[in-house]
Amino acid sequence: MKHALASLDARRARSSGFALITVLLVLLALLVLCAPFLMNARNAAKASTQLSDRAQVRLALDAAARHARAKLGGSHPAVDSTPYFDDYEELSELAPPDPKFLNAHDESGTMWDASISDVAAEIDLNSAPPQLIANLLGAATRTTAVLKPDATEISVSSTWGFAPSGYLWVGRELVKYAELESSKFTKVTRGVGSQKDADGNPLDCGPQPGGSQPINTLVIDQRAYAVALWRTITPDGELRELDAPEQVRDCAQLALGGLDEGAVGALLARGSTYAGVRAGRQWQRPVRLVNSVEAGTTCILDVDEKRWFNPGTTVQISDGRSTELGLVQEVLDRGIRLFDPLKNDYTAFTAEVRAQARRPVNVNLASVETLEALFTNLSVRTINERVMRDQARALAQLVVASRPFIGLEDFLRRAILPAAGLEQLPTDAPAQPEQLADGKTVIDTWDAVAVYLNALNANDSSLSYSTLPLSFTSRDVFNL
């Protein structure tokens, strides 16, 4: 009897073990069958959530862009309450929409903000002269001692901003230097690229042989000319433009010392390839060429009115059949001298010369650094005065503290004249800059003349060093 019961218990144990295995197998089968479904359901839920989030973000960004455009539309002259100036408050302060409609700062919802900058407040790299490019690079200085023809060193006020080795324009002479110190270029090679005629006399055009240079001679890094030269090298005599910031690197081929990333970054930090959009005509008033030109030889152009030209001005010469571009090296009593001789023949009084119109910078929205670059080194012909860098910085700070300006006369009365001590700040001036406290001055009289002339017409022939003119309104083109 006991043996039968033990046998029965063994059979029951085996049956229970088999049932347990069967259950486990069924559960495993269910897991295999259900796992893909569960994973698909989870992925679908996650995908739908992501799709919803993306749609919500896309709609929020679209709403932000539309809201910003609606705000910026108020600066159009047709509806602008201040049509003669656009300031920071008008363009940069973007009020959020009604929180009942959309709370842009809800931590549990969609958050967004908009940053707006005026493109007209940046430096237009498509019209900036070499002098302004040199200011951006910090690569313009002056000699502090007479430079003799056989000198192998050039003493200057500062070498800050210059490459460790490279090429310089010292007056009309191209110089190569191998080393530099804080106030000196050393191991120089004089008269690079100079040529002489059959009689051994230097040619009128192109780099000149090494010669004597007086104190205070302008020294500019040759790299500063690369962008302007790039714009003028075209087959049809029409200016080409930089279409994107990255294209600045294409100009490196015209910089004898090359353009490294530091130099490119310095240009793009304050410059833009879009700042000339909606800036008006590309060329200023044409003047008559009154002398005949021989191709490959003539670089001096006698014109019936030279007030539109100064060093660094880009010019176009055309007689209706031939058209070409050039870069002004210096202004003469009778006209202008170009860096290179013209490529075509022109008969006297049959061709015209016109200067490229430089795109103005909106002084009411430009940064201190941009204004400093615009003011530095400005000077009047035949006057041994220029706006030093520290003066330019102080003047830029004064301008920022005093703006907005409603026009050129307001800028003259509240910034330039008081800065030079030529007039007192108007008693009804809305701002009292600390730079003018206790009768302090920032610039000299001739510096004030240079700043005013440059602000009005940066191509003015009275200027020996110029940058870009100034404006007081936006051109309704923005970075958003």
Side-chain angles (χ1 to χ4, degrees), residues 318-335:
S318 178
D319 62 358
R321 295 171 297 179
S322 301
T323 303
E324 58 186 295
L325 300 168
L327 195 63
V328 176
Q329 186 176 41
E330 64 176 344
V331 177
L332 308 173
D333 291 337
R334 61 185 186 182

Side-chain angles (χ1 to χ4, degrees), residues 46-382:
K46 185 183 294 185
S48 62
T49 300
Q50 293 176 348
L51 180 62
S52 175
D53 290 343
R54 286 196 296 268
Q56 188 175 7
V57 170
R58 185 173 63 252
L59 292 174
L61 290 177
D62 181 70
R66 292 175 182 273
H67 181 62
R69 292 191 181 99
K71 167 68 176 178
L72 295 174
S75 68
H76 192 277
V79 295
D80 194 353
S81 59
T82 57
Y84 299 109
F85 71 92
D86 292 319
D87 61 358
Y88 182 84
E89 181 179 355
E90 182 177 349
L91 299 182
S92 299
E93 292 189 1
L94 183 63
D98 188 342
K100 296 179 180 179
F101 168 70
L102 176 63
N103 186 0
H105 303 289
D106 181 10
E107 295 183 358
S108 62
T110 301
M111 301 175 64
W112 59 263
D113 197 0
S115 175
I116 303 170
S117 63
D118 181 16
V119 175
E122 301 175 359
I123 291 171
D124 178 34
L125 295 177
N126 284 313
S127 66
Q131 287 77 5
L132 179 51
I133 300 296
N135 284 351
L136 293 174
L137 297 175
T141 186
R142 301 270 177 166
T143 59
T144 56
V146 174
L147 183 62
K148 297 181 180 180
D150 57 349
T152 58
E153 296 181 345
I154 303 176
S155 298
V156 295
S157 56
S158 174
T159 60
W160 181 85
F162 289 85
S165 62
Y167 294 81
L168 310 167
W169 279 106
V170 184
R172 294 180 57 207
E173 179 187 349
L174 186 61
V175 176
K176 179 181 179 181
Y177 68 96
E179 296 178 0
L180 55 76
E181 300 174 8
S182 60
S183 59
K184 185 183 298 184
F185 297 100
T186 60
K187 296 183 179 181
V188 301
T189 303
R190 306 287 301 278
V192 176
S194 60
Q195 297 181 0
K196 298 181 179 180
D197 59 18
D199 298 327
N201 298 316
L203 299 179
D204 286 336
C205 306
Q208 297 299 294
S212 179
Q213 301 286 356
I215 296 177
N216 206 40
T217 298
L218 178 63
V219 178
I220 294 184
D221 194 323
Q222 190 275 336
R223 296 178 300 165
Y225 290 84
V227 175
L229 291 173
W230 183 89
R231 297 195 303 254
T232 62
I233 300 178
T234 60
D236 57 358
E238 297 294 333
L239 279 173
R240 61 175 173 175
E241 296 185 345
L242 298 165
D243 296 322
E246 298 76 16
Q247 205 171 2
V248 172
R249 294 178 177 86
D250 295 344
C251 304
Q253 57 189 320
L254 297 173
L256 297 180
L259 281 177
D260 58 18
E261 287 302 310
V264 173
L267 297 183
L268 296 180
R270 305 289 169 229
S272 171
T273 58
Y274 312 115
V277 176
R278 301 187 65 183
R281 295 182 301 174
Q282 188 177 40
W283 301 100
Q284 289 184 305
R285 176 182 177 274
V287 298
R288 186 66 61 188
L289 178 64
V290 300
N291 67 311
S292 296
V293 172
E294 181 180 351
T297 301
T298 306
C299 62
I300 296 178
L301 308 182
D302 296 344
V303 293
D304 62 356
E305 177 57 73
K306 64 180 183 181
R307 64 169 297 192
W308 310 105
F309 310 98
N310 60 31
T313 299
T314 299
V315 297
Q316 184 185 66
I317 305 95
S318 178
D319 62 358
R321 295 171 297 179
S322 301
T323 303
E324 58 186 295
L325 300 168
L327 195 63
V328 176
Q329 186 176 41
E330 64 176 344
V331 177
L332 308 173
D333 291 337
R334 61 185 186 182
I336 57 177
R337 184 198 303 273
L338 305 181
F339 274 90
D340 299 306
L342 296 180
K343 301 175 183 178
N344 300 292
D345 293 326
Y346 298 95
T347 305
F349 297 99
T350 63
E352 65 180 20
V353 184
R354 52 183 181 172
Q356 181 190 16
R358 304 184 193 180
R359 303 320 195 188
V361 177
N362 183 359
V363 70
N364 284 324
L365 287 168
S367 66
V368 171
E369 294 78 12
T370 297
L371 294 173
E372 180 183 336
L374 293 175
F375 297 149
T376 300
N377 290 319
L378 293 179
S379 58
V380 178
R381 286 181 64 202
T382 72

